[in-house]
Amino acid sequence: MRGPLGAVIGRYPSSDGSEQMGSIIRHNRKCRDLVFLVIFIAFWVAMIVNSSFGFNQGNPLRLTYGLDYKGNVCGDKHAKGLRQLELKYWLNPNQVYLSGLKDNQFKLANARSICLLDCPTPSEDSLSWVCDYPEGDIRLSMDDWIDRNYDYYEFLTPEMRNTSLQLQGPCYPVIFPSVNVYWSCQFIARPSNVSLRHWQQMGGVNINEDIIIDKSIHRSINSRSSVLKRYMADIGKAWPVLIVCGGILPLFLSVIWLLLIRHFVAAMPWITVGLFNILIIAVTMFYYLKAGWIGNDAISPIIGEHDPYIRISGRELTHLRAAAVFMTFITVVAVLTSIAIVRRILMATSVAAKVIGEAQALIIFPIIPYTILAIFYMFWFSAAFHLFSSGQVVQNDCNLNCCVYDLLSKRVNCDRCCGYSIHYTPHIGVAILFHLFGGYWATQFFIACSSTVIAGSVASYYWARGETSPEIPFLPVFSSMKRLVRYNLGSVALGSLIVSFVESIRFMLESIRRRLKVAGTTPDNWFGKAVYHTSRFSLRCIEWTIKSANRNAYIMIAITGKSFCKASAIATDLIISNILRIGRVNVIGDVILFLGKLCVSLSTALFAFLMLDTHRYRSAHNKISSPLFPVLVCWGLGYVVATLFFAVVEMSIDTIILSFCQDSEEHQGTAQYAPPLLIETLNDQNEMQRLTQGPQ
């Protein structure tokens, strides 16, 4: 049996016998769950080591640009002369053709490629050439080579010209037009008749003209690994959008929303539900716009000006269309649900209004965890970009008889014709998963710390009978922070670890489910399908239950100073004993505040769409492949920021209600420490009858 909390938290007689105001006092408090605090600290050390590996080995440019035949990253300022040369171009069209044949061992990664400023196009009246980087006897600087459109054929010796006609370099004919598709020159399989005729007249070898030359490059550009890299690069390029829409905007929107619910509580359910429906429909419409199902604003993989008859699509467009369909389903369900519950939400408004009014001074507090999280995310995202690009550039292991003219050795060399690729070892994948888990755990930890501080501040107000101030003063906030740092960090680390662990398991099982679905190995009989879907539903219920139990556990940790498991048991016992009372009053915390978070996060997603639709992110160097990932990241960051600020109201309501229930239980159903405002609200007979019996 747990002991009375009034003896632990309430007023304490001073040395002169008078009662002295106390917030949550220091009686019987000690450090709890130290083992998990040590684990959390060790985990942070491992995170720093893991991130250091990424910073040392990674190069975020690899996420966007390709490699040339020397293993240099196009556009890399550390590679000689390549700083402004961002486009990858394959010199030998026959090698590209061979790489597209199913039974051929030649891979596109081994085809000779260089970095260019723009994609070459055939001349209308002559034969154009693209020559290798100027070296050896070719006395041209990189700038002169670029100014000459990469053509120095006229400077070649007869031997060099002969090898060039054999497609062995150093110069190669421009037969096929090409366009810039995600910083790679995509060949269009319709050769220039003029250029091809000039090439044949000069005695050049036969050039294959099949559609395979188009498909080979497209398959490489459109591979899953390439798309994932571009998605990560999109987040890096859109960092101003992340700061504005994922950081600054939700901060102001959250504060404004809390002030509105503080002064216009009665109207906020209608405002929130209406705004939520408008925002989710607007975000869905933007998905339709970018997917090309509405208007002519679909995303394009082609960068810069091009022939309007050239049509190239990629996985990004497919993913956007899938997201549009998914958002349509979510929108329909959300709109119907919000309309159905708005009447039931209004029933709890009168009770919630009086409780929320006590939390005004705490609205400013979340700026502290917000600032800490902002600094953490800057470090975390930077480390993530480097980890995702931390593979090692190595030369491919191939046994091919492909010969090219070497300008330095002045002869045809058949020894080093293999290209370069980025080699990813298994431990890089483990490091990325570790980094993702660490980011989620840290987020849950900071949110839990914020919630515990708020709970401690509100509890100190309650158990002091609310007489210290008409509103929660700032002093208990700092006292609650001090108690958290001194006694409860281990318990908070344990609670956040449990949530992160369960969420990670659910994510992995969901990934396995998708793989099974794609492979067609999902159960076909009714029993198998029932078990399959029931397990998914059960896991979501477990996740929701643990998150709810954790929130109440943080309240009891702040009140009692107990360990996480003991505090969770006390909170669960209180909730079960007062389920009707808590359930009705807590509707505003579970529904309206959740819809408020969605309103804030949907607003950030909508503004992210608008910012990403500007010229800066639609062309040239900063073009993003798809707005999908930056919008989702802004959406997630907006929800995290809203969670930090809305915890003021959530935790205030839950803390006061749990304290009231504990107070009533200790004093035979009559709360002794409840502020007059709360007693007036919850002891009102009509209100109590409505809380316990529900709508008739």
Side-chain angles (χ1 to χ4, degrees):
M1 292 293 293
R2 61 180 185 274
L5 296 185
V8 178
I9 319 176
R11 304 187 185 196
Y12 286 83
S14 62
S15 58
D16 59 359
S18 62
E19 285 187 323
Q20 185 175 354
M21 285 292 183
S23 53
I24 303 177
I25 70 161
R26 293 150 298 277
H27 178 68
N28 201 29
R29 284 186 177 267
K30 61 181 180 180
C31 296
R32 308 283 186 177
D33 300 314
L34 280 176
V35 173
F36 294 95
L37 178 58
V38 173
I39 292 174
F40 185 72
I41 294 174
F43 185 86
W44 266 93
V45 173
M47 278 281 288
I48 294 174
V49 173
N50 190 56
S51 300
S52 299
F53 165 78
F55 285 119
N56 290 330
Q57 300 294 327
N59 181 0
L61 289 178
R62 299 173 187 167
L63 299 174
T64 301
Y65 308 116
L67 304 176
D68 66 6
Y69 71 89
K70 295 184 177 182
N72 297 315
V73 180
C74 294
D76 191 351
K77 63 181 180 180
H78 300 295
K80 182 179 179 181
L82 300 185
R83 182 184 183 93
Q84 57 181 335
L85 305 180
E86 299 177 342
L87 308 187
K88 181 177 182 178
Y89 177 75
W90 287 271
L91 292 167
N92 190 336
N94 278 358
Q95 287 185 338
V96 176
Y97 173 82
L98 289 175
S99 68
L101 298 176
K102 292 183 178 179
D103 299 328
N104 198 290
Q105 296 182 350
F106 191 87
K107 304 300 180 184
L108 187 62
N110 295 318
R112 196 169 185 83
S113 60
I114 61 175
C115 303
L116 301 180
L117 187 62
D118 48 19
C119 291
T121 55
S123 174
E124 296 180 357
D125 54 4
S126 61
L127 180 62
S128 300
W129 298 85
V130 172
C131 301
D132 201 347
Y133 300 129
E135 296 177 312
D137 290 338
I138 305 300
R139 307 295 183 182
L140 289 176
S141 66
M142 292 291 288
D143 291 336
D144 292 336
W145 174 66
I146 295 172
D147 292 339
R148 296 179 59 89
N149 290 324
Y150 329 108
D151 181 4
Y152 51 75
Y153 182 80
E154 61 182 279
F155 299 146
L156 299 184
T157 64
E159 179 187 5
M160 293 180 183
R161 295 191 178 192
N162 182 56
T163 56
S164 296
L165 293 174
Q166 302 299 316
L167 288 181
Q168 294 179 342
C171 292
Y172 298 82
V174 181
I175 304 295
F176 298 92
S178 58
V179 293
N180 180 357
V181 177
Y182 296 136
W183 295 274
S184 292
C185 292
Q186 166 79 62
F187 285 174
I188 307 300
R190 55 171 192 231
S192 167
N193 293 330
V194 174
S195 298
L196 193 58
R197 185 171 61 251
H198 279 289
W199 171 256
Q200 293 170 346
Q201 291 173 354
M202 295 176 68
V205 298
N206 180 58
I207 291 180
N208 298 293
E209 307 173 28
D210 197 276
I211 190 67
I212 292 176
I213 195 172
D214 185 315
K215 292 182 177 179
S216 178
I217 297 178
H218 182 68
R219 186 164 54 246
S220 173
I221 295 174
N222 213 32
S223 65
R224 290 183 178 179
S225 60
S226 298
V227 173
L228 179 60
K229 291 178 183 178
R230 288 199 292 270
Y231 278 151
M232 287 300 299
D234 289 343
I235 299 174
K237 293 175 184 177
W239 63 265
V241 180
L242 300 187
I243 292 176
V244 174
C245 297
I248 299 175
L249 182 62
L251 169 65
F252 284 102
L253 291 179
S254 298
V255 173
I256 291 172
W257 199 92
L258 287 178
L259 292 175
L260 287 175
I261 204 172
R262 165 70 176 85
H263 297 286
F264 305 100
V265 176
M268 284 308 292
W270 294 105
I271 295 174
T272 303
V273 171
L275 185 60
F276 167 73
N277 290 332
I278 293 173
L279 287 171
I280 196 169
I281 292 173
V283 171
T284 303
M285 289 300 101
F286 262 102
Y287 276 108
Y288 273 86
L289 283 170
K290 294 304 175 183
W293 286 343
I294 297 178
N296 298 312
D297 199 28
I299 62 171
S300 171
I302 303 177
I303 302 172
E305 297 181 358
H306 63 280
D307 189 336
Y309 294 102
I310 297 176
R311 304 284 183 176
I312 299 176
S313 61
R315 286 181 184 268
E316 286 87 350
L317 187 61
T318 304
H319 293 166
L320 267 179
R321 289 176 175 174
V325 173
F326 179 74
M327 283 298 299
T328 302
F329 173 76
I330 295 297
T331 299
V332 172
V333 174
V335 170
L336 294 178
T337 303
S338 62
I339 294 175
I341 65 175
V342 67
R343 179 177 175 273
R344 190 168 292 270
I345 292 172
L346 289 173
M347 295 176 55
T349 302
S350 60
V351 177
K354 298 178 181 180
V355 178
I356 294 173
E358 309 298 334
Q360 186 177 15
L362 281 170
I363 293 177
I364 302 175
F365 162 73
I367 293 179
I368 298 175
Y370 167 86
T371 304
I372 297 174
L373 262 182
I375 296 172
F376 166 75
Y377 278 139
M378 290 179 187
F379 164 81
W380 188 87
F381 274 112
S382 178
F385 297 141
H386 285 82
L387 280 172
F388 269 89
S389 61
S390 59
Q392 185 177 6
V393 177
V394 296
Q395 189 169 26
N396 299 329
D397 184 13
C398 63
N399 298 314
L400 301 175
N401 184 21
C402 53
C403 303
V404 293
Y405 191 90
D406 188 348
L407 288 171
L408 293 178
S409 61
K410 301 179 182 179
R411 64 182 180 87
V412 175
N413 189 344
C414 300
D415 297 333
R416 295 177 58 84
C417 62
C418 297
Y420 284 80
S421 299
I422 301 176
H423 179 63
Y424 296 96
T425 57
H427 79 273
I428 294 178
V430 174
I432 292 174
L433 291 177
F434 182 83
H435 191 71
L436 294 175
F437 177 81
Y440 190 79
W441 187 9
T443 301
Q444 293 298 321
F445 178 82
F446 290 126
I447 292 176
C449 287
S450 177
S451 299
T452 306
V453 170
I454 293 170
S457 305
V458 176
S460 66
Y461 167 81
Y462 178 92
W463 293 98
R465 288 191 170 94
E467 297 176 4
T468 55
S469 171
E471 294 178 346
I472 296 175
F474 286 102
L475 184 59
V477 176
F478 292 109
S479 299
S480 185
M481 291 174 60
K482 181 179 178 181
R483 287 190 298 273
L484 169 72
V485 174
R486 185 172 179 182
Y487 301 113
N488 306 128
L489 285 180
S491 301
V492 170
L494 173 57
S496 56
L497 175 61
I498 292 174
V499 173
S500 304
F501 185 71
V502 172
E503 185 70 16
S504 299
I505 292 177
R506 191 182 71 82
F507 175 78
M508 288 187 288
L509 292 179
E510 188 69 15
S511 300
I512 294 173
R513 183 191 68 83
R514 289 197 187 98
R515 290 178 180 271
L516 292 175
K517 187 175 181 179
V518 171
T521 56
T522 52
D524 295 328
N525 57 71
W526 68 269
F527 179 77
K529 289 183 177 179
V531 173
Y532 179 73
H533 293 291
T534 302
S535 61
R536 290 183 61 201
F537 177 75
S538 300
L539 195 60
R540 285 188 175 274
C541 290
I542 292 173
E543 177 194 355
W544 180 85
T545 303
I546 288 178
K547 286 184 176 181
S548 179
N550 273 16
R551 191 171 71 181
N552 294 313
Y554 298 145
I555 294 173
M556 300 315 295
I557 287 172
I559 293 175
T560 65
K562 300 292 185 182
S563 65
F564 176 82
C565 295
K566 182 64 175 177
S568 182
I570 295 174
T572 303
D573 191 12
L574 276 177
I575 292 172
I576 293 175
S577 302
N578 301 271
I579 187 66
L580 293 178
R581 178 181 294 178
I582 292 176
R584 291 291 178 179
V585 177
N586 222 20
V587 170
I588 188 79
D590 291 339
V591 180
I592 279 295
L593 292 178
F594 176 68
L595 290 180
K597 295 176 192 176
L598 290 180
C599 285
V600 171
S601 57
L602 283 169
S603 299
T604 62
L606 185 62
F607 275 90
F609 265 123
L610 294 173
M611 286 190 67
L612 293 171
D613 203 35
T614 58
H615 178 73
R616 172 184 173 89
Y617 300 107
R618 292 167 61 94
S619 62
H621 177 77
N622 289 315
K623 178 182 172 65
I624 60 171
S625 64
S626 169
L628 182 61
F629 262 46
V631 167
L632 289 178
V633 171
C634 288
W635 196 337
L637 291 176
Y639 190 84
V640 170
V641 174
T643 299
L644 283 175
F645 281 86
F646 286 23
V648 171
V649 179
E650 287 179 320
M651 297 303 291
S652 296
I653 295 174
D654 290 350
T655 302
I656 288 182
I657 297 304
L658 280 178
S659 299
F660 181 86
C661 293
Q662 174 67 29
D663 194 7
S664 299
E665 184 174 316
E666 291 180 7
H667 299 94
Q668 294 75 44
T670 303
Q672 297 295 319
Y673 289 87
L677 182 62
L678 189 63
I679 295 176
E680 177 188 349
T681 301
L682 293 182
N683 280 349
D684 182 82
Q685 294 300 319
N686 294 331
E687 191 68 40
M688 287 299 295
Q689 182 179 4
R690 190 169 67 178
L691 289 173
T692 56
Q693 295 181 2
Q696 300 299 323

